[in-house]
């Protein structure tokens, strides 16, 4: 006899898949999926507008599982609703090369919108999704036709709310009035260490109301209550909504529900047997009855939703053909057809001017030149726009104009960066964010996530060395550039003048396989004269800037402000080549012949000079070379005095070359 369908039985499909997959892997977190199954049932079957047969449909709702340790919740949802994620994929949970890794990973399973796991970053990404939706809608929607109109739904837990990034991101979300962001807080009171009341006693409702959010409450196991709260949340268009859902972690497990035992460990075979009995679930492991699959299947509904939107977009294209073509270009991530030619023309203009200015100013000039060509630019700074020089004449704040292109992020480096990741993931924008290089440390984990997800986010960092001077060692970066260069998928540029700064921006804007860090100086840097061939080689990351004719005896490698020191030393030496290496990651990607032409292997007398930590450069100079740079933290003093005190001088470069060639 078939058990009649009801809300709880439909939701139980999530519970059994989660506990079975975790048990088979002997690893994972069954508690959150089992506790949030009833919320997921209502949201995914009744409200989420998505198409399992086309996971990239432009106007789909976005779903983010911020408490990513509960990944089996999302995998179960994707499988049950009809995405290309089979029961065999579920069985391979947490196994090598599976579509179902331990935390949701972008690019592994269809329907995963972002990589989550580091707690709090998922909700920050969701803020980015909602910001992108609101801004794109304001830029493209017409009074008679809306082509951008979707929600962002986010599940999150106690850990997400304890992490400081949630304060940064959710505070800004309230300020920006992101009314299509709906977050469901899994208020189960349990973390790995046990009952959280001993270390998490915040008044979450008051906190979010203070941010400017609508806050609702619902029994997380009452479908009617969850449904009513979701309807109310969708009706509030001026504020984001937090729905606090009281739940029982591991619901259904007779001996482990409500306890930390089920948070991050398999239930065990005996407990799973008891749980099946308690849930009234008769089927064997990984078996879902056909009527349950039918109840969950979202393919027909999704196809119909997309068909309706396609008809809307066709009407939009007929009436507004220019806007439709632009929308299509932007959501597909393509640059305007004439961008490269115009960018190259600007670089030629910069070269002709030959200005001696700070590279942060050269960066601002590049933004001023490129942003009008790229309406998809959505930039911002962490309260340092006047120092980072990220504002430009055409910048319009999204706070005052929803169709704007600039975000005042406030002093929120971590939140800013994770939000920018969400903007990039949403599509339709190229996002840049900025702060001092030293304060990259606040944002470090979100920068890593940019790189892990290979998103085109541009991280602008100014005040790049002890050259910022009197602010002292708390503000003077030393190890940060090496840390960025050690990040897979991230390109790190430290240009030496206006030409390299412009080319670094062009590279960042055209690079669609990962993020870029652009590192600029506070102080003025002298312009370096180049041939056209040298200008063409800048994009290769490293190139020969200067070289005497005759026998080559030594090579000086430099970046940023230290290129001028290298050139001054070059003028005092014989048989020396200066290599400017603004982006080592691009240089090492070049073919062996080019790398050999720039750094001949037979020239062992090599000196690298950079006002950052010395350790990065040994792979280029070899153990018999020399590196001039920092091995300690800085001091508070004028920049000129600091470079002299730490021995980053022309004289030091000359002495090092002479010692190696003696």
């Amino acid at each position: 006899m078939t058990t009649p369908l009801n809300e709880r039985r439909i939701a139980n499909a999530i519970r059994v898949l989660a506990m079975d997959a975790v048990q088979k892997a002997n690893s994972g977190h069954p508690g959150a999926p089992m506790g949030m199954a009833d919320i997921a049932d209502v949201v995914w079957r009744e409200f989420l507008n998505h198409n399992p047969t086309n996971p990239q449909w432009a106007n789909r709702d976005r779903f983010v599982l911020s408490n990513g340790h509960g990944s089996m919740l999302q995998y179960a949802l994707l499988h049950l609703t009809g995405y290309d994620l089979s029961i065999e994929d579920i069985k391979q949970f947490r196994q090598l090369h599976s579509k179902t890794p331990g935390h949701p990973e972008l690019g592994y399973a269809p329907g995963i919108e972002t990589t989550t796991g580091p707690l709090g970053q998922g909700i920050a990404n969701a803020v980015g999704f909602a910001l992108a939706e609101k801004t794109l809608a304001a830029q493209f929607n017409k009074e008679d036709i809306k082509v951008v109109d979707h929600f962002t739904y986010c599940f999150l837990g106690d850990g997400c709310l304890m992490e400081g990034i949630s304060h940064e991101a959710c505070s800004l979300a309230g300020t920006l009035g992101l009314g299509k962001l709906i977050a469901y807080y899994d208020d189960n009171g349990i973390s790995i260490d046990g009952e959280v009341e001993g270390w998490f006693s915040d008044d979450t409702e008051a906190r979010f109301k203070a941010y400017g959010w609508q806050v609702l409450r619902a029994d997380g196991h009452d479908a009617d209550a969850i449904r009513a709260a979701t309807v109310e949340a969708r009706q509030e268009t001026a504020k984001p909504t937090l729905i606090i859902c009281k739940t029982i972690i591991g619901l259904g497990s007779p001996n482990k529900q409500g306890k930390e035992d089920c948070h991050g460990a398999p239930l065990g075979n005996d407990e799973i047997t008891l749980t099946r009995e308690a849930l009234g679930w008769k089927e064997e492991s990984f078996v879902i009855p056909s009527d349950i699959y039918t109840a969950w299947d979202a393919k027909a509904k999704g196809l119909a939703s997309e068909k309706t939107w396609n008809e809307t977009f066709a009407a939009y294209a007929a009436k507004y053909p220019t806007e439709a073509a632009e929308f299509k270009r932007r959501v597909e991530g393509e640059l305007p057809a004439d961008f490269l030619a115009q960018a190259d023309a600007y670089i030629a203009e910069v070269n002709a001017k030959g200005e001696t200015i700070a590279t942060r100013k050269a960066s601002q000039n590049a933004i001023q030149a490129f942003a009008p060509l790229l309406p998809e630019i959505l930039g911002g700074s962490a309260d340092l726009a006047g120092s980072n020089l990220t504002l430009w004449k055409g910048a319009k704040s999204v706070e005052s104009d929803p169709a704007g292109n600039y975000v005042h992020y406030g002093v929120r480096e971590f939140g800013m960066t994770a939000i920018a990741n969400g903007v990039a993931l949403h599509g339709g924008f190229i996002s840049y964010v900025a702060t001092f290089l030293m304060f990259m440390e606040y944002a470090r984990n979100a920068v890593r996530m940019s790189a892990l997800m290979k998103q085109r986010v541009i991280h602008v960092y100014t005040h790049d060395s002890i050259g910022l001077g009197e602010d002292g060692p708390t503000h003077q970066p030393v190890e940060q550039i090496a840390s960025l260069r050690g990040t897979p998928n991230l390109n790190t540029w430290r240009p030496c003048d206006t030409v390299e700064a412009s080319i670094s921006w062009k590279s960042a804007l055209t690079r669609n396989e990962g993020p870029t860090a652009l590192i600029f100086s506070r102080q003025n840097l002298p312009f370096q004269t180049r041939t056209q061939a040298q200008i063409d080689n800048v994009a290769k990351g490293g190139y020969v800037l200067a070289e005497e004719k005759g026998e080559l005896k030594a090579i000086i490698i430099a970046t940023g402000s230290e290129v001028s020191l290298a050139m001054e030393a070059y003028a005092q030496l014989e048989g020396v080549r200066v290599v400017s290496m603004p982006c080592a990651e691009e240089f090492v990607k070049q073919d062996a012949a080019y790398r050999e032409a720039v750094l001949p292997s037979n020239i062992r007398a090599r000196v690298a000079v950079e006002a950052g930590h010395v350790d990065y450069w040994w792979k280029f100079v070899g153990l018999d070379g020399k590196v001039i740079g920092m091995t300690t933290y800085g001091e508070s003093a004028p920049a000129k005095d600091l470079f002299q005190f730490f021995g980053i001088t022309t004289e030091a470069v000359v002495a090092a070359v002479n010692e190696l060639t003696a």
Side-chain angles (χ1 to χ4, degrees):
M1 181 177 178
T2 303
T3 304
L5 282 180
N6 54 50
E7 291 282 359
R8 180 56 56 82
R9 179 162 166 75
I10 293 169
N12 284 345
I14 296 172
R15 295 185 170 96
V16 295
L17 284 175
M19 68 182 186
D20 287 347
V22 170
Q23 187 64 38
K24 185 174 186 298
N26 196 29
S27 173
H29 299 74
M34 296 174 73
M36 295 194 78
D38 299 309
I39 305 168
D41 165 43
V42 173
V43 173
W44 274 66
R45 290 202 309 118
E46 299 184 36
F47 294 99
L48 191 72
N49 195 19
H50 63 122
N51 182 4
T53 61
N54 182 13
Q56 296 303 310
W57 168 37
N59 199 47
R60 69 193 181 278
D61 289 339
R62 270 55 168 189
F63 174 79
V64 178
L65 183 69
S66 189
N67 45 342
H69 54 273
S71 58
M72 264 311 304
L73 172 63
Q74 190 162 10
Y75 298 145
L77 289 165
L78 294 172
H79 170 71
L80 291 166
T81 55
Y83 286 80
D84 183 18
L85 194 71
S86 70
I87 198 68
E88 292 303 317
D89 293 321
I90 299 293
K91 290 178 180 179
Q92 291 302 307
F93 178 56
R94 290 191 163 218
Q95 304 309 299
L96 184 64
H97 302 314
S98 74
K99 290 184 178 181
T100 50
H103 292 83
E105 300 280 353
L106 184 71
Y108 284 68
I112 301 294
E113 299 283 4
T114 180
T115 298
T116 56
L119 293 176
Q121 289 203 56
I123 180 59
N125 291 167
V127 173
F129 282 123
L131 170 61
E133 190 277 340
K134 182 177 181 178
T135 306
L136 202 65
Q139 292 177 354
F140 282 97
N141 286 351
K142 306 295 183 180
E143 287 189 10
D144 56 335
I145 306 178
K146 292 183 178 181
V147 293
V148 182
D149 186 13
H150 52 266
F151 287 86
T152 299
Y153 297 94
C154 180
F155 287 4
L156 67 158
D158 295 302
C160 296
L161 294 181
M162 282 187 262
E163 290 286 359
I165 189 174
S166 71
H167 295 254
E168 296 182 24
C170 294
S171 169
L172 186 61
T175 298
L176 295 178
L178 301 180
K180 288 190 175 179
L181 172 60
I182 303 174
Y184 298 79
Y185 167 31
D186 179 27
D187 183 15
N188 61 37
I190 296 293
S191 69
I192 290 175
D193 281 355
E195 297 181 6
V196 301
E197 61 185 12
W199 50 87
F200 183 49
S201 57
D202 298 17
D203 185 337
T204 299
E205 180 175 356
R207 168 187 161 189
F208 274 78
K209 284 183 176 178
Y211 290 157
W213 287 53
Q214 173 180 237
V215 181
L216 307 173
R217 289 184 176 272
D219 180 339
H221 303 302
D222 182 335
D224 290 336
I226 298 162
R227 185 178 300 111
T230 303
V231 168
E232 188 173 349
R234 287 165 59 94
Q235 291 171 344
E236 172 57 75
T237 59
K239 298 178 180 181
T241 297
L242 178 71
I243 304 175
I244 300 175
C245 299
K246 194 64 183 176
T247 63
I248 299 172
I249 191 170
L251 182 70
S253 170
N255 298 302
K256 296 188 176 183
Q257 69 176 26
K259 302 175 182 177
E260 64 269 23
D261 300 34
C262 64
H263 182 284
L267 298 182
N269 288 321
D270 291 344
E271 186 67 14
I272 285 177
T273 298
L274 294 175
T275 302
R276 275 186 154 75
E277 293 175 0
L279 296 176
W281 194 269
K282 307 298 184 182
E283 287 72 26
E284 298 178 358
S285 297
F286 300 106
V287 175
I288 305 295
S290 60
D291 56 346
I292 297 288
Y293 274 125
T294 299
W296 274 106
D297 192 348
K299 295 193 292 294
K301 182 180 177 182
L303 283 167
S305 294
E306 184 174 357
K307 181 176 182 292
T308 299
W309 182 83
N310 286 339
E311 292 168 353
T312 300
F313 190 77
Y316 181 87
K319 192 170 183 179
Y320 308 105
T322 301
E323 291 91 335
E326 179 69 0
F327 179 83
K328 189 171 184 293
R329 177 189 71 78
R330 284 177 54 174
V331 298
E332 291 177 354
E334 297 178 357
L335 295 175
D338 60 347
F339 175 74
L340 291 179
Q342 295 198 57
D344 288 340
Y346 172 72
I347 292 165
E349 179 184 329
V350 169
N351 184 58
K353 284 184 179 179
E355 293 179 295
T356 291
I357 56 177
T359 51
R360 63 172 173 159
K361 180 60 180 177
S363 168
Q364 185 182 45
N365 291 345
I367 296 171
Q368 183 64 59
F370 295 150
L373 308 176
L374 299 169
E376 56 264 53
I377 286 288
L378 185 61
S381 179
D383 198 48
L384 292 170
S387 294
N388 297 146
L389 302 185
T390 49
L391 279 169
W392 54 288
K393 292 178 182 178
K396 296 179 182 178
S397 170
V398 298
E399 293 87 355
S400 57
D401 181 357
N405 53 21
Y406 194 85
V407 184
H408 289 91
Y409 281 104
V411 187
R412 299 181 177 98
E413 294 87 355
F414 194 5
M416 169 185 73
T417 307
I419 290 169
N421 290 344
V423 169
L425 288 159
H426 179 279
F429 294 98
I430 297 175
S431 189
Y432 72 81
V433 291
T435 185
F436 288 176
L437 177 56
M438 185 65 248
F439 303 138
M440 175 279 296
E441 294 290 355
Y442 285 129
R444 184 71 185 88
N445 202 272
V447 176
R448 183 177 187 269
M449 297 304 289
S450 294
L452 183 63
M453 294 188 287
K454 301 180 181 179
Q455 292 302 297
R456 179 164 49 184
V457 178
I458 302 171
H459 305 279
V460 178
Y461 300 125
T462 67
H463 297 63
D464 67 342
S465 72
I466 57 172
L468 67 88
E470 292 85 348
D471 277 339
T474 61
H475 283 52
Q476 293 166 3
V478 171
E479 70 275 28
Q480 285 64 42
I481 300 176
S483 174
L484 290 168
R485 289 188 181 125
T487 304
N489 303 328
L490 177 69
N491 270 11
T492 301
W493 285 81
R494 186 174 183 244
C496 75
D497 69 355
T498 55
V499 169
E500 287 190 359
S502 303
I503 292 172
S504 72
W505 262 105
K506 176 191 172 186
S507 174
L509 290 165
T510 56
R511 183 174 190 252
N512 57 15
E513 66 269 20
T516 302
L518 303 179
I519 300 176
F520 299 118
S521 72
R522 178 193 186 192
Q523 70 272 34
N524 290 346
L525 301 183
F527 175 77
Q528 303 296 334
T529 302
R530 298 173 185 81
T531 66
Q532 185 58 51
Q534 288 173 313
I535 293 174
D536 293 341
N537 283 336
V538 172
K540 297 178 180 178
Y543 64 101
V544 178
L545 178 61
E547 181 174 34
E548 288 186 359
K549 294 181 180 179
E551 181 185 0
L552 179 59
K553 299 178 181 178
I555 299 173
I556 305 171
I557 307 169
T559 79
S561 52
E562 288 66 67
V563 169
S564 61
L565 297 183
M567 291 298 290
E568 291 169 2
Y570 165 79
Q572 301 176 33
L573 296 163
E574 295 181 355
V576 171
R577 166 183 292 182
V578 174
V579 170
S580 177
M581 194 174 290
C583 183
E585 295 87 357
E586 281 297 325
F587 178 73
V588 298
K589 292 175 188 174
Q590 304 305 311
D591 60 47
Y594 180 78
R595 288 183 277 116
E596 177 66 18
V598 175
L599 297 177
S601 54
N602 64 314
I603 305 301
R604 306 303 299 166
R606 300 182 182 186
V607 176
V609 53
E610 182 176 63
H613 202 285
V614 299
D615 278 1
Y616 179 80
W617 290 102
W618 294 110
K619 68 180 182 180
F620 289 107
V621 303
L623 295 179
D624 48 354
K626 289 187 175 294
V627 182
I628 296 170
M630 298 293 293
T631 57
T632 68
Y633 293 117
E635 295 287 347
S636 178
K640 183 178 179 181
D641 295 342
L642 291 171
F643 278 96
Q644 189 69 39
F645 176 76
F646 287 106
I648 305 173
T649 63
T650 300
E651 294 77 15
V653 177
V654 170
V657 171
N658 285 334
E659 182 179 343
L660 291 175
T661 56

